[in-house]
Amino acid sequence: MKAVLQLEHVKKQFGDFTAVDDLSLSVPAGGVFGFLGGNGAGKTTSLRMALDIIRPTSGRIEVLGAPPSRERAAEIGFLPEERGLYRLMSVLNTVIYFGRLKGMEAGAARKASIALIERMGLADRADTPVSKLSKGLAQKVQLATALVNSPKLVLLDEPFSGLDPVNQGVLEDLILALAHDGSTVIFSTHVMQHAERLCDRLVLLARGRKVFEGTQDEARAALPGRLTLTCRTDPVALPGVASTTPVGSAVEGWARFEVTMKPGADAGDLLEACTAQSFALRAFDIHRPALHEVFIHLVGADQEIVR
Amino acid sequence: MRAVLLVAERELRQILATRGFRVILLSFPLLIAGTLFASAHFAPPTGAAFTLVDASGRYSALIERRLELDHQRDVLHDLAAYVARWKLAFVDPSAVWAQPDAWPADAKVARFIAAGGGAAAMRQLLPHLPEGAPAFKPPSKDHIEIAPPAEVPIDQGADAFGRAIATPMQTDVETPDGKRPFTAAVYIPKDFGAPGVVARIWTNGGSTDDLIQTVRQQLTAALRHGALEADGLSSEAADRVETLSAPILVSEPAPSAARGVVVTRSIVPLALVYLLMIASIIIGQMMLQGVIEERSNKLLESFLACIRPSDLMYGKLLGLGAVGLIVVGAWVGCAVGAAFSSQGAIPDMLRLSLQAVDKPWIIAAMIFYFLSGYLILSMLYLVIGSLSDSMQDAQQYQMPVVMLIMLPTIVVIKASLTSPDAVIVQVLSWIPLYTPFAMLARLGTGVPLTEMLGTGALLIAFIAVELLLLGRVFQARLLSAGQPANLAAFAKLMFQPAN
């Protein structure tokens, strides 16, 4: 699958500070890709480099098959983390203006803007100055400025910050709809729940370096498997089991054990072994690790992230 | 270029929609209208009253004749300007008022009086006045003679006269032209001319220099006349000697005439210096607010994903430059309109100045210096905006910059009027930051063409370097918060290519 964004050994230094260090990644076309990491992980710097807002100190970047350039603005939508709009401009004129900055002709920009603000439930506010909008509505307008050109690639930097839970849900739906319609959405976040619900693939960053890139399942596989078994005897001797911990006291001979698998061991193989060895089982619960746990496991607990 | 124009258009639209812009746009026309209205309806009357007591009976007629002659000279001068303005010389090309003369000689004034003066001329001109031309209004007399107040004794000597006249001179008095300040009283003793006998003049402290001068000249002439007669010259011969006057015709240079230098003989370039200062300060404020709004509203990252920082910078310069030119254009338009549609000393002066600017290349030079100055200052304001997170921050940079530019400019304006060849004027003309101000200020009094071309070339080079270096600062500062720590940090931004 062709990559819409490719970074090869990219490094960005600001004076003595290294914001991004030897970062390589590839974002395939289509779907939703997450840039995950705590504050200062290098997410925003990476996105800015992809947009040619800043240049890398070294390394190579390709966006939609070409080096980063404003010439590609017509195919890209960008929502920055720090958001703002001209307070005196109307909603419609704001969206049209950004459409035109991205190379759209006046008529096309107007038509697309009207359709978009209607789709986003802003039609009745088309002529309202931005200063008269609530924060949530203003953020919708900002998102509309990113999407007015029907971009192939949408870059959203911390798109959920500052939104209430209802609008977070609306934005999640919109991101999924964009991906469904064929756009590639890349978004950065330090809130793992959003990534869990949205991302097909993700990259985990810590202190400017990549610590993981792949699918969610691949990320979870990086963690030793954990299960809860209800059985009559300690399952520690079963194949693939690294350790067990009894939970509570046995009831009518049945006890609960938290089981940690050996690295690479599969829960399905364990179940098969139980059956083959006639190991008495009453419950076999596979514990699916949260991305947060994966992150902590890979990066350490000192990074500022939100579950 | 497309992005530059889009940014410029947005800047222009936003400013045009603000109430502040409308206030700025209307302030100058309202000021002009107010000034014209006030000068037409509330201007204090000119002229002052004086009284003349000639106990000898020999000198008052001479003084009164001279005052009348001088007044009629003013009338003739103004009438000639009126005739030139409304192109009425064809009515009687041989009339004295049809021939421009900055300082009509006595003989010419005498002919004017003999022909019936201003009233007769107007009767002649009236049938030929173009539509909209107002009737000629002669200037009022500078010195209006009144009879001594009744309570003032005129036959008890100068001291008694002086003591008595002091009180009436403290108030305005009725004259044939209305109430006027009573500024002077002249007493010529009976035996004036005898050794030790002096003529006395009392004033109320007002401006009476030219009246005193006239009295002195006429009394001196009369004494000389008497001395010549005493030496055996006939009265007629003494008259001839006394009234001998070198024939001089004073001609003013033709508008924009060159004397080997560029001279516009106009106050228009100088007016543009003031306009440049005012416009750049006003528009500079708008520029600061615009950049600071974008920085504080966190708008810039969205922009920079679509357009280059240089597009944003040039778009702002172009848009806000257009705002400035609209303001200046409207102001100049109002001034021109007022000059050509109203009467009075100020419109007359403006009209003459505008007529003097009649060469396309002089207009081009003025526009070049004006726009260059505007661009230099706009760029400075843009960078101040990019260095500031708030208007309070901006003020700490703005004040020194404004002082740095304005103080030498004020010096140059003053010096260019009094001593255009002064070293300070020459030096500042070659410092690009001051070149637009200095050269505009000097255009009215004359600038060598070579100097104009040299400073122009230097100015263009300076603007190119300014745009490059300050442009780097602007671009580097777009996504930064806080201010550079010191001058070294600022210099580093200038000389470090944008990343």
Side-chain angles (χ1 to χ4, degrees):
Chain A
M1 195 182 288
K2 197 178 171 187
V4 291
L5 174 63
Q6 190 133 14
L7 277 69
E8 290 176 18
H9 306 293
V10 170
K11 186 173 187 177
K12 178 65 189 178
Q13 284 185 296
F14 296 103
D16 297 333
F17 175 69
T18 303
V20 173
D21 192 7
D22 195 29
L23 179 61
S24 296
L25 61 86
S26 179
V27 180
V32 182
F33 189 94
F35 266 60
L36 276 61
N39 294 330
K43 306 184 297 287
T44 297
T45 303
S46 300
L47 291 180
R48 285 180 175 178
M49 286 192 289
L51 289 160
D52 200 29
I53 293 174
I54 52 175
R55 300 264 164 84
T57 308
S58 62
R60 187 168 155 272
I61 301 175
E62 265 194 15
V63 181
L64 297 170
S69 151
R70 267 83 174 185
E71 309 305 320
R72 313 308 298 262
E75 298 171 278
I76 298 173
F78 173 56
L79 181 73
E81 179 182 7
E82 293 191 320
R83 277 153 237 160
L85 296 162
Y86 287 113
R87 297 177 70 252
L88 299 178
M89 257 178 131
S90 72
V91 170
L92 181 58
N93 285 339
T94 300
V95 183
I96 291 173
Y97 180 53
F98 275 88
R100 299 216 62 205
L101 285 179
K102 293 175 183 187
M104 297 175 81
E105 291 304 321
R110 185 174 185 80
K111 198 172 163 188
S113 300
I114 291 171
L116 187 58
I117 61 176
E118 199 163 318
R119 188 148 65 93
M120 296 178 84
L122 292 164
D124 57 336
R125 308 289 184 111
D127 297 322
T128 306
V130 168
S131 60
K132 300 259 171 74
L133 298 179
S134 66
K135 192 176 176 188
L137 287 179
Q139 294 214 23
K140 273 189 178 180
V141 177
Q142 182 103 38
L143 189 61
T145 65
L147 303 179
V148 61
N149 52 327
S150 304
K152 284 183 192 167
L153 174 61
V154 182
L155 302 172
L156 309 173
D157 193 3
E158 298 282 0
F160 299 100
S161 69
L163 289 182
D164 60 42
V166 174
N167 279 311
Q168 287 187 16
V170 171
L171 183 56
E172 282 190 8
D173 292 344
L174 190 70
I175 288 172
L176 292 172
L178 284 168
H180 181 262
D181 292 344
S183 298
T184 305
V185 182
I186 299 174
F187 77 93
S188 72
T189 186
H190 62 286
V191 182
M192 298 297 150
Q193 283 181 344
H194 298 303
E196 253 169 348
R197 285 197 289 268
L198 296 170
C199 290
D200 301 310
R201 292 176 64 80
L202 52 92
V203 63
L204 286 179
L205 300 173
R207 298 179 190 91
R209 297 185 72 90
K210 180 174 81 175
V211 291
F212 171 80
E213 181 188 0
T215 63
Q216 290 201 42
D217 286 342
E218 287 167 346
R220 289 188 176 94
L223 237 66
R226 285 168 58 203
L227 307 99
T228 305
L229 300 187
T230 306
C231 44
R232 289 198 178 275
T233 55
D234 190 336
V236 72
L238 289 173
V241 173
S243 63
T244 62
T245 308
V247 181
S249 50
V251 179
E252 295 176 2
W254 293 100
R256 289 177 68 217
F257 292 90
E258 294 283 352
V259 176
T260 302
M261 303 288 287
K262 289 176 181 167
D266 184 68
D269 292 342
L270 178 62
L271 182 60
E272 196 178 331
C274 289
T275 308
Q277 295 178 23
S278 301
F279 187 83
L281 271 178
R282 197 174 189 184
F284 187 93
D285 297 324
I286 300 174
H287 177 69
R288 183 180 158 87
L291 271 183
H292 176 254
E293 291 171 76
V294 177
F295 188 87
I296 297 296
H297 174 75
L298 292 174
V299 176
D302 59 332
Q303 293 287 296
E304 292 176 31
I305 53 156
V306 178
R307 282 170 192 270
Chain B
M1 191 60 193
R2 184 178 184 276
V4 172
L5 292 176
L6 280 170
V7 173
E9 183 190 346
R10 199 213 71 80
E11 296 286 342
L12 184 60
R13 279 176 186 272
Q14 174 165 316
I15 300 285
L16 295 191
T18 61
R19 197 176 297 135
F21 174 79
R22 290 193 287 274
V23 170
I24 290 168
L25 197 66
L26 289 176
S27 59
F28 187 67
L30 287 176
L31 186 69
I32 288 181
T35 305
L36 291 176
F37 182 80
S39 63
H41 294 88
F42 305 114
T46 57
F50 77 101
T51 190
L52 173 60
V53 174
D54 182 9
S56 73
R58 296 195 301 271
Y59 305 103
S60 59
L62 289 172
I63 294 169
E64 284 159 0
R65 181 177 173 277
R66 169 48 58 192
L67 289 173
E68 178 60 15
L69 211 57
D70 286 347
H71 170 61
Q72 289 301 327
R73 179 178 287 109
D74 291 343
V75 174
L76 176 57
H77 180 270
D78 286 10
L79 181 62
Y82 173 87
V83 166
R85 187 200 166 182
W86 298 105
K87 298 181 173 51
L88 293 165
F90 72 92
V91 175
D92 183 359
S94 63
V96 288
W97 41 258
Q99 300 150 17
D101 187 348
W103 187 254
D106 286 355
K108 198 169 179 179
V109 178
R111 284 210 308 279
F112 174 62
I113 295 169
M122 259 331 272
R123 279 196 298 278
Q124 232 180 314
L125 294 170
L126 213 52
H128 305 282
L129 286 188
E131 196 175 338
F136 172 68
K137 193 178 166 196
S140 50
K141 284 185 174 179
D142 291 336
H143 307 290
I144 308 159
E145 187 175 357
I146 57 169
E151 69 274 21
V152 177
I154 60 173
D155 51 1
Q156 295 172 20
D159 289 339
F161 178 80
R163 278 194 300 275
I165 202 76
T167 306
M169 285 179 70
Q170 289 171 5
T171 56
D172 288 0
V173 292
E174 280 298 340
T175 74
D177 292 354
K179 272 206 160 182
R180 293 290 190 277
F182 192 177
T183 56
V186 183
Y187 186 90
I188 303 170
K190 189 176 178 182
D191 47 355
F192 179 74
V197 179
V198 297
R200 304 278 299 273
I201 300 177
W202 292 265
T203 77
N204 71 346
S207 176
T208 51
D209 290 354
D210 54 342
L211 177 69
I212 294 170
Q213 188 68 8
T214 301
V215 171
R216 186 195 302 277
Q217 281 173 352
Q218 293 311 304
L219 292 180
T220 304
L223 291 181
R224 279 185 189 145
H225 185 275
L228 289 170
E229 272 192 313
D231 280 353
L233 223 60
S234 68
S235 177
E236 292 74 20
D239 259 349
R240 278 200 302 278
V241 171
E242 193 51 44
T243 54
L244 259 181
S245 172
I248 297 172
L249 176 66
V250 178
S251 300
E252 286 178 334
S256 72
R259 296 179 304 164
V261 292
V262 180
V263 188
T264 62
R265 287 285 172 206
S266 166
I267 59 159
V268 171
L270 198 58
L272 282 178
V273 178
Y274 285 106
L275 215 52
L276 178 57
M277 284 202 289
I278 296 168
S280 59
I281 288 173
I282 292 172
I283 306 304
Q285 288 297 318
M286 292 181 180
M287 209 166 252
L288 280 181
Q289 279 170 354
V291 179
I292 290 169
E293 183 197 5
E294 281 166 358
R295 279 168 63 79
S296 59
N297 280 0
K298 318 217 183 307
L299 273 158
L300 290 167
E301 207 172 350
S302 299
F303 273 122
L304 298 180
C306 310
I307 60 172
R308 285 186 291 269
S310 56
D311 291 340
L312 183 64
M313 184 181 86
Y314 290 123
K316 284 189 161 299
L317 284 175
L318 190 62
L320 289 166
V323 172
L325 291 183
I326 288 173
V327 171
V328 171
W331 288 1
V332 170
C334 286
V336 172
F340 285 98
S341 64
S342 55
Q343 298 293 311
I346 297 172
D348 287 349
M349 185 178 65
L350 258 179
R351 203 163 43 244
L352 286 172
S353 290
L354 287 166
Q355 283 164 353
V357 185
D358 60 349
K359 295 264 192 311
W361 63 274
I362 283 184
I363 296 172
M366 287 195 301
I367 292 174
F368 167 73
Y369 285 122
F370 187 86
L371 289 182
S372 301
Y374 192 79
L375 189 57
I376 287 173
L377 296 179
S378 298
M379 194 62 211
L380 286 176
Y381 276 107
L382 211 53
V383 170
I384 291 174
S386 74
L387 292 172
S388 313
D389 293 330
S390 66
M391 282 306 279
Q392 285 87 345
D393 282 351
Q395 277 162 6
Q396 63 172 320
Y397 293 108
Q398 196 185 351
M399 186 54 79
V401 170
V402 168
M403 298 301 270
L404 182 73
I405 292 166
M406 297 309 166
L407 287 181
T409 301
I410 291 166
V411 170
V412 115
I413 290 172
K414 196 165 182 290
S416 67
L417 289 174
T418 53
S419 47
D421 298 326
V423 175
I424 180 86
V425 178
Q426 306 285 331
V427 170
L428 289 177
S429 298
W430 286 92
I431 300 175
L433 196 58
Y434 306 116
T435 301
F437 299 100
M439 295 302 279
L440 274 176
R442 291 174 60 196
L443 269 180
T445 48
V447 186
L449 193 60
T450 49
E451 195 177 345
M452 209 157 100
L453 294 174
T455 55
L458 190 62
L459 189 57
I460 290 170
F462 175 78
I463 290 171
V465 172
E466 186 196 22
L467 287 176
L468 176 73
L469 298 185
L470 294 188
R472 282 178 181 166
V473 176
F474 176 79
Q475 292 172 36
R477 292 287 310 165
L478 282 178
L479 292 174
S480 309
Q483 298 160 23
N486 50 36
L487 270 178
F490 183 79
K492 194 178 168 190
L493 291 177
M494 274 204 289
F495 294 102
Q496 183 175 281
N499 62 350

